[in-house]
Amino acid sequence: MAMSWTTGRGSDLHIAPAGGRGRRAALESALRDGIRTGRLRPGEVMPSSRALAAQLGVARGTVVEAYSQLQAEGYLRARRGSGTEVASEAVTAPRSPRLPRAAAPLIDFRLGRPDPSSFPRRLWLRAVREALQSAPESAFGPLGPQGDSSFREALAGYVGRTRGVLTEPELMLVCGGFIQSLRLLCEALRARGARTIALEDPFIPDHREVALAAGLEVITLDVDEHGARPEKLLRGEADAVVLTPAHQAVLGATLAPERRAEFAAWAAERDAVIIEDDYDAEFRYDRQPVGAMQALAPDRVVYAGSASKTLAPALRIGWMALPPTLVSSVIERKRRVDRGTSVLDQLALAQMIETGSFDRHVRAMRRRYHRRRDLLTAMIDRVAPRMRIAGTAAGLHLVALLPDEPNLEDEIVDAAAGRSLALTGLARFRHDPQESTPGIAIGFGAPPEHAYESSLAALEGLLGEFSDRLS
Ligand SMILES: Cc1ncc(COP(=O)(O)O)c(C=O)c1O
């Protein structure tokens, strides 16, 4: 028996009682449910028992009994005068909180985001189809936390070939992007007694949060045009350091060879760990790619890569090549955290790597981003020659350093927001924002390809507002 009736507010209340119950019990339960979920609101006047009985096609006594039961339970009450209404104190289910929705900026120049319109849908679809056809049944059995062995094999070959990483599939772990790699590593290091980790400053604020949440103390290393400076480490007591040697996140320098050697020597002497965050090295424009630092000290350096820039951050795929001493503890943590990363994505990416379509996609994207970078630097040189551009050799962003004028960085970022244009000031990436060199980080990856030039025009319009101070 399903019943429908029209409430006092004119909305239809559909009552579908569970089978096998009496009509009265079904009606009571449907009304309780309507009140708890807020479809019947406090104060709402119920139809007369005669009218409701007629609408539902039940005996009037059934409705009278149901009303009186719900009055006894506090859901309904008699109205002064006559009739029945929903009690004002009637329990209603908590409504799910409305989460504040941040308005998406129309034009996105935030740091480190790849172009979502360039996700290789066709290649990915083909890879998924081929992977599904060729994967053995065992691939869909319980997942090992370390990741699919064919994917780890493909990855070990890929990072060896493209980044000079010295590793093998047994030392690799697949995880949910770099952020999870960092979490697993920080927790594993803390568990074996590490207390302090060093981060480059500027850094990605989330990375500091992850380290702190794992119970590590964070110290910061200064950064200059040769990358992170090791002095503080040599003096201090850190047990680990996170470095971005290929393209310092945020300022964009490449870590100088002498400094690489100094960090490696420090790690050997102190029995410390270096975490190499190789987040965007596939996109190198001006010179031969600098190989991964991991090859200098494979027993001390964790090499960490991610598909977030080459494919999409939404895939949540990353990988690590681990020193042998860390393998079992980090895998065990991964098992506890989520038992492993989705196998289908691993199989698809393995397929893309093995067939060469991943390399072709990366090459095509490198050309695309190279062109974008050139258009951006030419525009800045033309309209804002007092901004000094840095960090252009690689990656999906550059840094525009500003003349040292009070508040200029904030003014530009605020004016950008007023034009629905997302830009980030450098102070946001500093441990101590007061110490920041004024500047803005401009990501040139995120605007969709068809809208890149119009996005640049909008940025040019913004910089034009500041022409008295920038040109
Ligand atoms: C410095 C840095 N490292 C790593 C990543 C990649 O993070 P994930 O793989 O968690 O998306 C990013 C992405 O924005 C980044 O900026």
Side-chain angles (χ1 to χ4, degrees), residues 177-179 204 207 249 277 279 306 308-309 316:
F178 176 75
I179 200 82
I204 303 296
H207 296 177
D277 175 9
Y279 65 108
S306 162
S308 290
K309 309 285 193 252
R316 307 311 310 140

Side-chain angles (χ1 to χ4, degrees), residues 154-175:
L155 276 176
Y158 172 74
V159 295
R161 174 166 57 76
T162 60
R163 306 291 301 126
V165 174
L166 300 175
T167 188
E168 45 194 277
E170 290 66 40
L171 299 177
M172 300 219 58
L173 173 66
V174 179
C175 44

Side-chain angles (χ1 to χ4, degrees), residues 111-114 175-181 200 203-204 207 242 244 247-250 277-280 304-309 312-314 316-319 397 429:
L111 176 137
R113 297 173 176 231
C175 44
F178 176 75
I179 200 82
Q180 191 183 51
S181 300
E200 300 169 330
F203 50 52
I204 303 296
H207 296 177
V242 181
T244 48
H247 190 226
Q248 200 278 322
V250 175
D277 175 9
D278 201 39
Y279 65 108
D280 65 3
S306 162
S308 290
K309 309 285 193 252
R316 307 311 310 140
I317 292 197
W319 45 85
H397 76 277
F429 302 105

Side-chain angles (χ1 to χ4, degrees), residues 184-194 197 216 240 273 275 326:
L184 300 176
L185 289 165
C186 287
E187 289 177 358
L189 291 170
R190 181 75 194 99
R192 72 174 204 188
I197 191 165
L216 293 172
V273 171
I275 301 169
L326 277 172

Side-chain angles (χ1 to χ4, degrees), residues 34-57:
I35 294 168
R36 281 201 206 107
T37 56
R39 284 183 297 160
L40 287 166
R41 303 275 179 77
E44 178 151 355
V45 180
M46 300 301 290
S48 69
S49 53
R50 188 188 306 276
L52 184 55
Q55 272 196 52
L56 299 178

Side-chain angles (χ1 to χ4, degrees), residues 210-221:
V210 166
L212 292 173
L216 293 172
E217 196 182 311
V218 171
I219 61 165
T220 56
L221 303 182

